Amino acid sequence: MHIASPYLLFIGDATDQLSIKMARGVADWRPELCIAEYSVQGCTVTTGLEQLDIKQAAARGAKSFVLGFANSGGVLDKKWLPYIIEALESGMDIVSGLHDKLSDFPEVAAKAKACNRQLWDIRHPEAEFVTGTGVKRPGKRLLTVGTDCSVGKMYTSLSLEKSMKKAGVDVDFRATGQCGILIAGSGVAIDCVVSDFLSGASESLSPAASDDHWDIIEGQGSLSHPAFAGVSLGLLHGSQPDALVICHDLNRVHMRGLPGSQLPSIAKTIELNLEAAKLTNPDAKVIGITVNTSSVSVEEGKNICAHLGKEFSLPCVDPLRDSADSIVAALLTRDSANTSTATGAITA
Amino acid sequence: MHIASPYLLFIGDATDQLSIKMARGVADWRPELCIAEYSVQGCTVTTGLEQLDIKQAAARGAKSFVLGFANSGGVLDKKWLPYIIEALESGMDIVSGLHDKLSDFPEVAAKAKACNRQLWDIRHPEAEFVTGTGVKRPGKRLLTVGTDCSVGKMYTSLSLEKSMKKAGVDVDFRATGQCGILIAGSGVAIDCVVSDFLSGASESLSPAASDDHWDIIEGQGSLSHPAFAGVSLGLLHGSQPDALVICHDLNRVHMRGLPGSQLPSIAKTIELNLEAAKLTNPDAKVIGITVNTSSVSVEEGKNICAHLGKEFSLPCVDPLRDSADSIVAALLTRDSANTSTATGAITA
């Protein structure tokens, strides 16, 4: 899968910022992939991009029409089909992260075939996966893991990628959710994979690479979430991370969606993830902490990060307010120290 | 799903005992569900049941035609289609644990519809699952967990169920794999469920029950298996077990299918499973160990079990050579002690 860019982000008649999370994610992190936004009457939200309709965007070279909205059931309302048909006729592929599959709408499937265009249902993995092997592959890997779901693992991953690129590191962001896939142009919606292939799909997501290449893998769920820990564990084992970054959100009193479930401490999250990671990579280390501090003032956020950093002897930042430069700097320092050690043939 | 019995076990032209594991499992554990075996020329193995052809079995009341063989790709060879058609015409439903779906063969789908018969593709869960909640439900649950895949979790579960029935306990065996589903007549092939619904499907498998009812849930994989630990964890969290039984096979030098992966110790297996189980049931306890000792003499097997039992202060048996009576006896003694304690309103 490789989604062609630039994208026209279609947000329909959305009235809720949360419902256009997909469009906002890609507009924030990959503005260079986006040609414009397209909304219709009644829409009260925006990604901030220029507004163009389908014909205008096509004339400016748009290659993919992205359904940038979501709803709780993941349903594709039939009222959007004429827009999809028009986009196909204008030469664009269609990208959807909804549960309903584009290809299950006969008129859409027929039109895509007639126009020789792709339908990308990014929530439905198409690849044929195999079961995991646990065999170590070359290249370096970093996985973001969380105290809970939706605590900023994707934003942390993208922030780490940005800081690594700035530092001249050869790096790829590996997406495991719909929004991440749209940003990366490829990836695997890991919670949509059949359980038997969880680790195998995770292994294929970050394939063998050169020794100094880093994959930054977007984590999913939490080992402490009663509904999704299995997904988190399969992804952890398949990723074989050399480095883990712990992600936390201050504005959380219980596990997402489960008022009866307590949030684990950061210490517990470190312990659980390290223990599990060692099964497929005995050298796995936690190398930093990120905190979503948006629920407190900038100053208070900085104090909390400083306090946590001291408590765990790790760089700790809010990836949006502060950037992830300090985590990447610490990682690269450790890395080059390890390399010198290896060169000097000193065995600890 | 409820598979109608009695079954006619079709083993085709199998020449390998391992390839008829499904048929043997049900013939061993539920002979009362099986009317006969049916094999064709070239077959060199048997479940030991009487031989009947389709017409004879139908005349004796067979309700389901079970494809009791397997192969590595899970492929349904077209040469078996005439047999399936004949069974449908004779009034039987068809049961398959193969990867290929019966309903994907147009002539089979059409014939089943015409004859008003069911096609059960038990490897492909049909139910619409929801995500897990972690909310505790009434009733008691026991889950078998293992040092590895295929160490005897299903046989241990069935042996525990048998001992509990003998002791007059209200008990259900809950199947999570193809062979178990055939034996139980229902269940969920848990490794075939989409990852997002792993825990949710596991919760639905052992629904709320009366306080003194036990579900014996067939475990899958191992928390120490690099390919399948995610499945094991999702099943563990969704099962919310009160009691865990650790299953081990003496004849194992590395994790199944992965020569590079070391087997965990029994102590490590206890530690990992208890730690994880406590997330959804803080009162989870390990109550016994079972060992497949078939690779050593009966006497040596007894010595090994006695030694392990002493080491862990737990009843330890080979479930096939010894029965699981001692584990069940210990469990019920503990249970009635807890009840007396509760009645006496003593809080520890």
Side-chain angles (χ1 to χ4, degrees), chain B residues 105-346:
Chain B
F105 291 83
E107 60 270 55
V108 173
K111 180 60 76 178
K113 200 172 170 192
C115 299
N116 196 25
R117 303 268 45 103
Q118 291 281 353
L119 300 176
W120 296 117
D121 285 300
I122 57 181
R123 194 156 167 176
H124 298 272
E126 277 192 335
E128 288 272 322
F129 298 111
V130 294
T131 57
T133 66
V135 175
K136 199 87 176 68
R137 38 197 200 284
K140 293 182 233 184
R141 288 164 190 85
L142 183 155
L143 175 69
T144 52
V145 298
T147 49
D148 194 4
C149 303
S150 308
V151 290
K153 290 184 285 286
M154 186 187 83
Y155 271 56
T156 294
S157 302
L158 288 161
S159 189
L160 286 161
E161 183 212 26
K162 194 173 168 183
S163 295
M164 280 200 175
K165 280 200 165 146
K166 207 163 60 179
V169 178
D170 179 19
V171 60
D172 277 308
F173 165 67
R174 300 296 186 183
T176 60
Q178 293 118 262
C179 191
I181 291 171
L182 191 60
I183 290 169
S186 64
V188 179
I190 204 73
D191 61 3
C192 301
V193 170
V194 166
S195 309
D196 213 16
F197 305 111
L198 248 176
S199 294
S202 304
E203 290 179 1
S204 72
L205 179 71
S206 65
S210 64
D211 286 340
D212 59 353
H213 177 271
W214 277 94
D215 270 334
I216 307 291
I217 304 162
E218 177 194 3
Q220 289 293 333
S222 162
L223 286 183
S224 297
H225 197 290
F228 307 119
V231 176
S232 308
L233 186 62
L235 177 58
L236 179 59
H237 284 162
S239 297
Q240 307 177 348
D242 304 282
L244 293 162
V245 170
I246 310 290
C247 307
H248 181 59
D249 181 351
L250 290 184
N251 195 20
R252 200 59 66 95
V253 289
H254 58 72
M255 296 306 274
R256 186 173 160 86
L258 306 178
S261 283
Q262 257 194 319
L263 216 66
S265 66
I266 289 176
K268 185 76 192 171
T269 304
I270 290 176
E271 181 198 326
L272 282 176
N273 279 281
L274 268 188
E275 166 77 41
K278 285 180 193 300
L279 183 72
T280 55
N281 188 345
D283 296 326
K285 300 268 187 309
V286 172
I287 57 115
I289 300 170
T290 64
V291 185
N292 176 345
T293 64
S294 59
S295 56
V296 300
S297 71
V298 170
E299 203 193 332
E300 198 177 340
K302 280 202 183 302
N303 285 340
I304 290 169
C305 286
H307 177 81
L308 286 172
K310 207 171 159 192
E311 181 179 349
F312 294 100
S313 302
L314 287 169
C316 176
V317 297
D318 180 315
L320 289 190
R321 284 177 165 177
D322 308 330
S323 96
D325 288 357
S326 60
I327 298 179
V328 168
L331 177 64
L332 297 180
T333 307
R334 193 199 70 169
D335 240 36
S336 65
N338 284 353
T339 310
S340 324
T341 309
T343 312
I346 298 164

Side-chain angles (χ1 to χ4, degrees), chain A residues 146-149 153 220-226 228-230 232 255 264 269:
Chain A
T147 49
D148 194 3
C149 303
K153 290 183 286 285
Q220 290 294 334
S222 163
L223 286 183
S224 297
H225 197 291
F228 307 119
S232 308
M255 296 306 274
T269 304

Side-chain angles (χ1 to χ4, degrees), chain A residues 64-79:
Chain A
S64 293
F65 184 74
V66 173
L67 305 184
F69 50 78
N71 50 52
S72 68
V75 174
L76 176 55
D77 193 319
K78 284 203 163 194
K79 72 181 175 183

